[in-house]
Amino acid sequence: MLRTSRKNNESELPVEEQDMTSGPAATFIAMTTWQKRDWQQFYQLARRPWRRHRPPRPVYPSGLNRVAPAQGYSLSELDDAGVDLDLAEALGLPVDAGRIGVYGPNVTVLREFIRSSRQPR
């Protein structure tokens, strides 16, 4: 939760009602700052590990014995791996609807990821 550092009611008024004639930033604070507790809560969430395996990143062939990172899995790759869009979204898999074609290693990795994510921990 974001809080302002000011204790009076001036910072809660809308912009139109405040007096802006007594200096450039005399009574108006545009940016609210986070308190120490807000930062602590943010970093606790950022440090928390994934509850399941991190989703694999898709790649595509970009030359002889080279691969490059892709934006997401193509719809054909998801279909071949047996994953629908709802399941892909629930598992956090990136999907690129503009990609065309199927890259075999992506399908294999997706199948293994689905198999491992269904096992109870």
Side-chain angles (χ1 to χ4, degrees), residues 37-85:
R37 184 173 178 173
D38 297 326
W39 283 108
Q40 289 171 346
Q41 187 178 24
F42 171 77
Y43 282 114
Q44 282 175 356
L45 288 173
R47 273 191 237 111
R48 189 176 299 164
W50 278 65
R51 295 179 189 225
R52 56 182 183 263
H53 299 295
R54 189 176 293 269
R57 302 302 301 175
V59 293
Y60 67 93
S62 65
L64 188 62
N65 293 330
R66 295 189 188 271
V67 292
Q71 288 292 107
Y73 293 101
S74 68
L75 297 175
S76 302
E77 289 170 344
L78 291 174
D79 188 40
D80 287 353
V83 180
D84 60 347
L85 285 176

Side-chain angles (χ1 to χ4, degrees), residues 100-113:
I100 300 172
V102 177
Y103 186 52
N106 282 345
V107 176
T108 306
V109 167
L110 272 175
R111 284 183 183 148
E112 291 175 7
F113 179 70

